[in-house]
Amino acid sequence: MSSRGMGGRKIWIGYPDGLDHELWRYMDFLKFVDLLQRRSLWFTRLDQLRDPYEGALTKPTAEFFAEVQSRTGFRGGIHHEKFRKVRCVNCWHMSGYESAAMWELYSREAGVAICSRITRIERCFPPVVTGGSWGIRGDAVRYVDYERDRLAGLSEDGSVIMTADFMCKRKSFEHEHEYRLATSLEEDERDLRGRLIPVILDQLIEKVVVSPTAPNWVVEVIRHEAGTYKLDVEVAQSALYSPKLQ
């Protein structure tokens, strides 16, 4: 995976396989309107997500840190529960095609998918967004076996190297093909459930796709809302369940 930094700002955007992948973010109508109004992406704290393994160490990784600590006193890995309360993520589906499963999971009759791509993510943060003290990172999620996979080891000079646990999920979620943006709460934000980061919507969004099962009037309402908030992009209904070609 390659990545690109953004000058003096702490923003690093990864390009899996070196490619500019298409990204989809599925949501319900209210969340779409909220995005239009706030012009910001919501980053949810890891410990607020449904999956209790978010940000957790795999069993072999925890055992590795325990063994290293017993030999050297190194205390790496012991603060992962603390990190789960400060690391925040914003999640996308990485695919060249829309997903029937994602429609069912996240947005049905009045659902919306905003379509983007990695180069758009890279350009969507206005100059005032520096990334904060920890930064903003984007890359594909790595799906691992939490019973078998060790995500940390020792380099040749004896220092510990580790795959970012906040960019890992269990293999049970591999169908999500997730591309994830991650950041961290600042010291004065630690009691919050996440954080909003401003974006330039016209840079972020390539088009808006409405659920394939939505009535026609819903499509018109969503098109109207996009116009009201001056989002000048294509708004169209998914043709996923349209009659097949003869």
Side-chain angles (χ1 to χ4, degrees):
M1 297 181 181
S2 62
S3 63
R4 303 176 187 173
M6 299 185 68
R9 298 196 285 169
K10 295 180 180 178
I11 302 175
W12 299 273
I13 302 300
Y15 283 72
D17 307 315
L19 301 176
D20 184 21
H21 291 276
E22 292 182 47
L23 302 174
W24 302 68
R25 183 163 169 80
Y26 295 83
M27 62 190 70
D28 60 32
F29 173 72
L30 292 179
K31 288 184 178 178
F32 176 65
V33 174
D34 183 69
L35 172 65
L36 294 176
Q37 290 179 342
R38 296 176 186 264
R39 309 186 84 81
S40 299
L41 288 177
W42 173 254
F43 286 66
T44 304
R45 224 169 66 187
L46 285 178
D47 68 327
Q48 300 297 309
L49 296 174
R50 183 177 184 180
D51 181 8
Y53 284 77
E54 285 280 6
L57 297 178
T58 66
K59 182 178 179 181
T61 304
E63 292 171 347
F64 165 79
F65 279 122
E67 192 272 332
V68 171
Q69 182 180 354
S70 68
R71 289 192 293 106
T72 67
F74 176 75
R75 295 169 62 81
I78 65 172
H79 299 300
H80 69 277
E81 282 299 324
K82 172 186 173 183
F83 291 151
R84 293 183 71 243
K85 297 181 184 298
V86 297
R87 295 284 187 263
C88 303
V89 296
N90 178 267
C91 308
W92 296 73
H93 178 66
M94 186 170 69
S95 175
Y97 304 91
E98 65 181 295
S99 167
M102 291 295 109
W103 283 123
E104 288 297 318
L105 284 172
Y106 297 107
S107 43
R108 296 185 180 180
E109 282 75 12
V112 175
I114 58 173
C115 305
S116 187
R117 53 194 325 120
I118 297 176
T119 48
R120 284 183 170 271
I121 294 285
E122 192 173 41
R123 299 193 305 260
C124 78
F125 298 106
V128 295
V129 175
T130 63
S133 59
W134 189 78
I136 299 171
R137 292 163 168 79
D139 222 328
V141 165
R142 178 180 173 186
Y143 297 94
V144 300
D145 186 328
Y146 275 67
E147 291 296 317
R148 299 181 179 180
D149 292 342
R150 194 179 81 179
L151 305 180
L154 296 176
S155 65
E156 292 183 359
D157 64 3
S159 59
V160 173
I161 53 176
M162 180 178 175
T163 299
D165 48 15
F166 56 87
M167 285 292 188
C168 295
K169 294 189 74 170
R170 288 180 289 169
K171 287 185 176 292
S172 302
F173 295 91
E174 205 160 7
H175 65 281
E176 294 179 347
H177 299 292
E178 184 179 334
Y179 186 94
R180 172 172 286 191
L181 298 173
T183 190
S184 186
L185 296 176
E186 303 292 348
E187 286 292 337
D188 61 350
E189 299 175 322
R190 298 300 168 92
D191 59 338
L192 302 179
R193 297 167 66 90
R195 66 183 302 199
L196 286 165
I197 295 183
V199 294
I200 304 168
L201 290 183
D202 288 335
Q203 293 283 1
L204 173 68
I205 301 174
E206 188 170 280
K207 63 179 178 179
V208 175
V209 179
V210 183
S211 167
T213 58
N216 290 337
W217 66 267
V218 170
V219 181
E220 292 307 315
V221 168
I222 292 172
R223 190 173 285 131
H224 177 269
E225 289 299 309
T228 298
Y229 291 97
K230 297 180 171 56
L231 178 63
D232 187 19
V233 301
E234 178 188 1
V235 177
Q237 184 164 23
S238 164
L240 184 65
Y241 298 126
S242 297
K244 66 180 180 178
L245 297 175
Q246 298 298 320

